[in-house]
Structure formats: C-alpha cells, structure tokens
Amino acid sequence: MNNWNDLFALILIVFAIYLVLSFCFFLITRYLKKKRINDRYFALIKKMRLFYKPIAWMIVIAGFISLDPITHGLVILLIAGFSYRQLGNYISGLFIRSSTMVVAGTLVQAGKIRGRINRIGSLGMVLGTDQGERWVWYRSFDRAGFTLISNQTNVQQRAIYLKTELKKESLLNLIFDHPILALGKASNLKALESENTYLLHYTLVRGAQHEDFINYLHDNKVMTNQTEKFES
C-alpha cells in the first residue's frame, strides 16, 4: 500500500466483493428454500455472511496501517483500547450468532436472565422477559453460560465452563464420544486465559438430559461450572 488512492481502491474492492457476495447469498438462499434442502446449508451461508464483515474490516485496517505503520498503528491501538468492551462484545457475538438457533423466538436462559429473543444486534440482543424487553450484551452470555431452547423443535443448545488436566484434543475426543450431542449441530470448545479452563458450546439431541452429559464429564475427571470461576 503506497498511497491513499491505493487504500481507497482497496475499500472499493472490499465493498464490491461484499455486494457481489450478498447478491449470491440471496440467490442461493432462495434456491435452497425452493428446493427445501437441508438446514445445514443455510447455517453455512449464515456463517459466511457473518464472518465476512470482520475479515473485510481487518483487510482495510491492515491497508491503513501499511501506509504509515508507526503512526497509523498507534491510532488503531488507541481506538481499540477505547472500544475494548465493544470489541469484546462483537467478537463474542460472532460465535453466538453463528448458531442456527439464534433467531427470533428462541428461549434464552443465562444466569438469572430468561426470555425470548426479540431482536439480534451486533453487540447484543433484546430479550422479551416477564419484566419487559431487556438488552443483554453478548459477553454477559459468555460469563454466565447460557442455554438456547428452540421455539419450534425444543432442541437445546448450552454453554458451560470446563476445567480439566486433559489437553484440548483429548477433551474434544472425550466430548464427542458421548452420543448425547446432536450430530451436524455446531459445537465449539474455546480455551480461556485461566489455565486448563475451557468454554464449551454444544447442542443436545432432542429429548436428551443435560445432567447425563454433566455426569459423564464428571466421571471422566472434567469439572463443570456455569461461570469461569471454579472453586479451589
């Protein structure tokens, strides 16, 4: 990147690609609905649309920094520092929103918060609770753990914290050895800053009991909790 014209051209290219992809996604979605093809293809399209925006922003920011690495790099660091909480909410939201169950009408249980999704935003979502509408940040879901219950199928997606001496690969093998997880549904295991601690998002097969899976983990020396802070 040599000058501002190059950066402007990069922005136009990224925006043009976004328009083309949006049009293609629209046509593909209509085709899939018409043919009544499996929902996992809709989920794949949703994820591609969801993650294209942050990737596009990273490309533009990288081009901006390349014009003057020191000055522009400091500017980006300052902006990132002041918007740290918003960035954290946005990143947490990317993984939460990628779930096929995050749609209007899904029942959400996160700590003491319980309600149905009314609106979904980039930084959080609006839940309809017994006390009225409530805005909830995505990071609140990650801190408290959450359960998603489909309004149509009663399938449940949950998030719990795990603590174990097992390596991540061994833990993944252990998790997927249990038949309670719904095949074809998104599951995600994320290592956290705390040592040997993970955040697991998983989907139960219809009619399965959450307690069965928890007991299975306990039997294999994996501690579980609704928050990141485990008792000593």
Side-chain angles (χ1 to χ4, degrees), residues 34-75:
K34 187 176 180 181
K35 297 295 183 179
R36 298 182 179 180
I37 296 177
N38 196 297
D39 287 344
R40 68 173 179 269
Y41 294 108
F42 290 105
L44 178 61
I45 291 173
K46 179 181 178 181
K47 288 182 181 180
M48 291 175 63
R49 294 194 64 179
L50 191 62
F51 285 96
Y52 177 78
K53 288 184 180 180
I55 291 173
W57 273 108
M58 289 174 64
I59 293 172
V60 172
I61 291 171
F64 175 72
I65 293 175
S66 68
L67 291 175
D68 189 342
I70 297 177
T71 303
H72 291 180
L74 288 174
V75 170

Side-chain angles (χ1 to χ4, degrees), residues 57-192:
W57 273 108
M58 289 174 64
I59 293 172
V60 172
I61 291 171
F64 175 72
I65 293 175
S66 68
L67 291 175
D68 189 342
I70 297 177
T71 303
H72 291 180
L74 288 174
V75 170
I76 295 300
L77 284 176
L78 286 172
I79 294 174
F82 282 112
S83 58
Y84 173 77
R85 291 178 62 87
Q86 287 75 10
L87 284 173
N89 275 298
Y90 182 75
I91 293 171
S92 295
L94 286 175
F95 295 98
I96 293 173
R97 290 157 60 200
S98 66
S99 169
T100 56
M101 293 178 63
V102 179
V103 295
T106 294
L107 180 64
V108 178
Q109 174 77 49
K112 296 181 179 180
I113 303 171
R114 182 182 176 89
R116 294 198 179 276
I117 299 175
N118 286 347
R119 293 188 298 279
I120 301 169
S122 297
L123 302 178
M125 62 178 67
V126 177
L127 301 182
T129 68
D130 293 338
Q131 292 76 37
E133 287 195 335
R134 178 172 180 176
W135 171 266
V136 183
W137 300 100
Y138 287 123
R139 289 193 69 182
S140 299
F141 290 113
D142 272 349
R143 286 198 297 267
F146 63 91
T147 300
L148 299 173
I149 304 175
S150 172
N151 190 36
Q152 297 178 344
T153 65
N154 205 36
V155 171
Q156 297 185 31
Q157 184 180 84
R158 289 178 174 265
I160 58 171
Y161 289 89
L162 310 178
K163 190 175 183 66
T164 178
E165 297 292 334
L166 294 174
K167 298 296 183 183
K168 185 175 181 180
E169 293 76 13
S170 300
L171 181 57
L172 279 170
N173 291 334
L174 176 68
I175 290 169
F176 287 108
D177 278 344
H178 199 284
I180 200 172
L181 298 185
L183 297 177
K185 298 291 184 180
S187 296
N188 180 53
L189 181 68
K190 180 171 64 175
L192 304 179

Side-chain angles (χ1 to χ4, degrees), residues 164-228:
T164 178
E165 297 292 334
L166 294 174
K167 298 296 183 183
K168 185 175 181 180
E169 293 76 13
S170 300
L171 181 57
L172 279 170
N173 291 334
L174 176 68
I175 290 169
F176 287 108
D177 278 344
H178 199 284
I180 200 172
L181 298 185
L183 297 177
K185 298 291 184 180
S187 296
N188 180 53
L189 181 68
K190 180 171 64 175
L192 304 179
E193 293 182 1
S194 301
E195 188 177 4
N196 300 326
T197 306
Y198 303 86
L199 175 61
L200 172 66
H201 297 262
Y202 66 97
T203 304
L204 298 171
V205 295
R206 189 179 306 177
Q209 296 297 316
H210 171 67
E211 291 74 16
D212 292 339
F213 184 54
I214 296 300
N215 292 334
Y216 168 74
L217 293 173
H218 291 173
D219 290 341
N220 285 277
K221 303 186 185 305
V222 179
M223 298 174 61
T224 63
N225 201 16
Q226 292 300 311
T227 68
E228 188 176 351

